[in-house]
């Protein structure tokens, strides 16, 4: 059981690291938009590439942050009922709905992977004046889906453990709630 918990902690660590690295992308996007606004409205000299670069970075940010957000419980829930459930009933609900989650991740891996592969095979570029390559950004789609799936499997295993142990809070869950 300790080996399984070590693997689950590794998945958490990977998604935490990705989320923290990507948080700097938000700051970079903020600076890029600020520079673009100042150049456009104060100097009447916008860049050709600023807006498109910001959009590409935001796309990578959104796709890769799914696992991090799932790890910290940031995805949308219907809290009208869910928030009133016990830990064990929340775990049971999450186990039942994992099928939908798995289908979603499977579709993202399948179709996102196909889209990324086609883009890489053609060395796809944007059709703008700047014309940056798009395939590196599209390759992030299956990677993000994979990170999300790993974190979802880790959550499923923890939910199964919660059901088996009667919903008792483990050390890992206590630490997560304290840091939030």
């Amino acid at each position: 059981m300790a080996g399984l918990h070590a693997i689950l902690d590794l998945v958490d660590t990977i998604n935490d690291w990705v989320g923290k690295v990507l948080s700097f992308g938000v700051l970079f996007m903020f600076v890029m938009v600020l520079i673009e606004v100042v150049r456009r409205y104060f100097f009447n000299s916008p860049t050709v590439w600023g807006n498109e670069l910001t959009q590409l970075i935001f796309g990578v940010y959104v796709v890769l942050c799914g696992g991090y957000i799932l790890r910290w419980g940031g995805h949308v829930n219907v809290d009208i009922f869910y928030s009133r459930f016990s830990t064990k009933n929340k775990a049971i609900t999450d186990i039942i709905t994992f099928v939908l989650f798995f289908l979603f991740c499977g579709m993202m891996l399948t179709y996102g992977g196909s889209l990324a592969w086609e883009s890489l095979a053609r060395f796809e570029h944007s059709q703008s004046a700047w014309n940056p390559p798009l395939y590196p950004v599209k390759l992030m789609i299956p990677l993000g889906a994979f990170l999300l799936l790993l974190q979802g499997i880790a959550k499923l295993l923890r939910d199964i453990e919660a059901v088996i142990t009667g919903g008792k809070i483990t050390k890992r869950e206590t630490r997560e709630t304290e840091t939030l």
Side-chain angles (χ1 to χ4, degrees):
M1 204 63 166
L4 178 62
H5 283 283
I7 292 170
L8 298 180
D9 288 344
L10 176 64
V11 170
D12 290 344
T13 302
I14 290 169
N15 276 307
D16 280 343
W17 183 83
V18 169
K20 288 174 184 173
V21 168
L22 290 172
S23 67
F24 292 107
V26 174
L27 294 174
F28 183 71
M29 287 185 291
F30 170 75
V31 169
M32 287 299 303
V33 169
L34 183 64
I35 289 170
E36 193 65 21
V37 166
V38 168
R39 289 187 61 142
R40 178 178 305 266
Y41 293 106
F42 290 107
F43 300 111
N44 199 23
S45 176
T47 62
V48 174
W49 50 269
N51 186 39
E52 192 168 9
L53 178 61
T54 303
Q55 289 175 358
L56 293 173
I57 293 169
F58 183 69
V60 169
Y61 171 78
V62 167
V63 167
L64 291 181
C65 275
Y68 177 79
I69 294 169
L70 179 63
R71 188 240 187 293
W72 291 106
H75 286 286
V76 176
N77 276 335
V78 181
D79 282 340
I80 296 171
F81 302 109
Y82 189 82
S83 63
R84 297 179 187 182
F85 289 171
S86 66
T87 304
K88 183 177 180 178
N89 287 337
K90 285 180 182 178
I92 291 169
T93 303
D94 290 342
I95 290 168
I96 292 168
T97 59
F98 181 78
V99 173
L100 297 173
F101 172 82
F102 184 73
L103 289 173
F104 172 75
C105 286
M107 298 297 277
M108 286 284 291
L109 277 169
T110 302
Y111 292 109
S114 174
L115 180 74
W117 182 253
E118 289 173 15
S119 182
L120 180 62
R122 296 183 301 146
F123 292 107
E124 182 181 15
H125 281 69
S126 164
Q127 299 302 313
S128 68
W130 180 38
N131 199 28
L134 295 178
Y135 55 90
V137 175
K138 290 189 178 182
L139 286 170
M140 297 300 114
I141 297 170
L143 177 60
F146 180 70
L147 291 172
L148 180 62
L149 180 62
L150 281 179
Q151 193 64 52
I153 291 170
K155 182 174 179 355
L156 174 68
L157 294 173
R158 287 188 178 114
D159 288 338
I160 291 170
E161 181 183 25
V163 170
I164 291 171
T165 62
K168 295 177 185 171
I169 297 177
T170 64
K171 283 185 180 180
R172 182 74 181 170
E173 290 172 308
T174 304
R175 190 173 58 191
E176 287 174 3
T177 17
E178 289 173 358
T179 56
L180 288 174

